[in-house]
Amino acid sequence: MTDVPGTLRAAAIKALSTADLSEKARLTTATAEFWFARKLGLSAPTDPPSPSRPGRPLKPDLVPPRDVPRRSVHTLEGRIAMIHALAHIELNAIDLALDIVARFCGQPVPRSFFDGWMTVAMEEAKHFGLLSARLVDLGSFYGALPAHDGLWQAVEVTSHDLPSRLAIVPLVLEARGLDVTPSLLAKLKEVGDPQTGAILEIIYNDEKKHVAIGAKWFRFLCARHRIDPARRFQEIVRECFRGEVKPPFNDRARAEAGLTPTFYRSLSPLSS
């Protein structure tokens, strides 16, 4: 007997709402497995509404970004702070993937759309587990340091529109990970931390797939309405994204994921 509800939407909402993080990861993985085995319907009128915020434990404390600890990899404390920040990103990424499934179940998209986002959710849960275990190896734990809430703001700004969600979450926020991870891997090799480096290699390769899933469905929705995807992407970013789309860009990894420079170069503050 399973505790996974009978529809994908209800199961995603249950995992999204769960404050126990081990249980959140377990429910996410179980929901994906049931969905891929085609043991879940898509949605039902009795499904609960999507929560405005995900379930969270009491820790970590959420603070402004300027108050998050510095993350130099050259000291143990700095590496712990860096891994903690990455674990917080991956936790948010679980909930971002669950939210896109739950919130947009009523959209006229193929079932393979939900295959893609449940794959993302399951892999983000794996990433969170790897990083949390690494923190324990180093004498810490997730929740020991403060974190910020900037990623969930992307949900609030794009809750009204699926193309906007796709543009901001995978094609801006996740794509940024493709830009910064290679230099971080080089620094970890330099300081002799292959264990953390191996985890980041897994995350980097998976994130390329996640950006590709976002790019595929963003292009699909634009093609349906005969809209130029690069131009529409730029319009959405200018409207919905509070930060900057700034270099350096990992053009090769982005292009492999279907995100060519025509999408983002003109948005850079250095493009002029």
Side-chain angles (χ1 to χ4, degrees):
M1 186 172 180
T2 178
D3 57 352
V4 175
T7 70
L8 178 63
R9 185 170 188 271
I13 288 169
K14 182 174 181 179
L16 182 60
S17 303
T18 299
D20 182 307
L21 301 186
S22 295
E23 182 68 358
K24 183 187 292 287
R26 186 193 71 79
L27 282 170
T28 298
T29 300
T31 298
E33 290 171 348
F34 272 66
W35 172 250
F36 295 137
R38 297 300 184 244
K39 294 179 180 178
L40 298 177
L42 184 58
S43 62
T46 54
D47 291 343
S50 296
S52 60
R53 294 191 60 81
R56 286 286 187 270
L58 295 176
K59 296 288 185 178
D61 295 325
L62 297 179
V63 299
R66 65 179 179 275
D67 295 335
V68 174
R70 294 177 62 85
R71 303 191 289 265
S72 169
V73 301
H74 295 285
T75 65
L76 176 60
E77 293 78 10
R79 284 203 303 283
I80 288 172
M82 180 267 292
I83 296 166
H84 193 280
L86 292 175
H88 185 67
I89 290 170
E90 296 300 325
L91 172 59
N92 276 273
I94 300 170
D95 288 325
L96 288 166
L98 292 170
D99 185 83
I100 200 172
V101 168
R103 191 173 299 275
F104 298 105
C105 257
Q107 295 285 313
V109 292
R111 289 176 70 91
S112 55
F113 175 88
F114 301 102
D115 292 346
W117 290 106
M118 286 312 303
T119 297
V120 172
M122 185 167 57
E123 291 180 345
E124 305 293 17
K126 174 185 70 177
H127 301 164
F128 178 72
L130 290 169
L131 291 166
S132 297
R134 183 63 181 146
L135 285 171
V136 173
D137 291 343
L138 295 175
S140 187
F141 59 92
Y142 177 72
L145 300 173
H148 69 81
D149 199 35
L151 285 175
W152 195 252
Q153 293 172 359
V155 169
E156 297 165 349
V157 172
T158 61
S159 61
H160 65 292
D161 181 62
L162 179 55
S164 297
R165 176 63 62 84
L166 294 172
I168 299 303
V169 174
L171 302 189
V172 173
L173 299 176
E174 290 210 67
R176 186 62 182 156
L178 302 183
D179 301 333
V180 302
T181 302
S183 62
L184 191 52
L185 285 167
K187 290 176 183 177
L188 288 168
K189 185 175 182 180
E190 184 181 304
V191 300
D193 189 350
Q195 297 90 342
T196 303
I199 295 170
L200 263 61
E201 286 276 8
I202 292 169
I203 293 173
Y204 178 70
N205 290 321
D206 285 345
E207 297 297 345
K208 275 197 263 189
K209 293 186 293 181
H210 301 175
V211 175
I213 289 167
K216 169 187 173 179
W217 291 109
F218 185 80
R219 290 177 182 276
F220 171 87
L221 293 173
C222 288
R224 171 182 280 173
H225 297 286
R226 299 182 181 179
I227 297 171
D228 177 76
R231 183 178 302 171
R232 182 64 186 133
F233 173 76
Q234 292 157 17
E235 291 171 350
I236 291 170
V237 172
R238 291 186 177 109
E239 177 185 348
C240 297
F241 188 59
R242 299 177 184 177
E244 291 183 340
V245 179
K246 55 187 178 182
F249 298 115
N250 187 341
D251 289 324
R252 180 174 179 177
R254 285 169 169 253
E256 288 173 356
L259 191 61
T260 56
T262 55
F263 275 73
Y264 55 85
R265 281 287 177 182
S266 66
L267 294 167
S268 168
L270 302 181
S271 62
S272 57

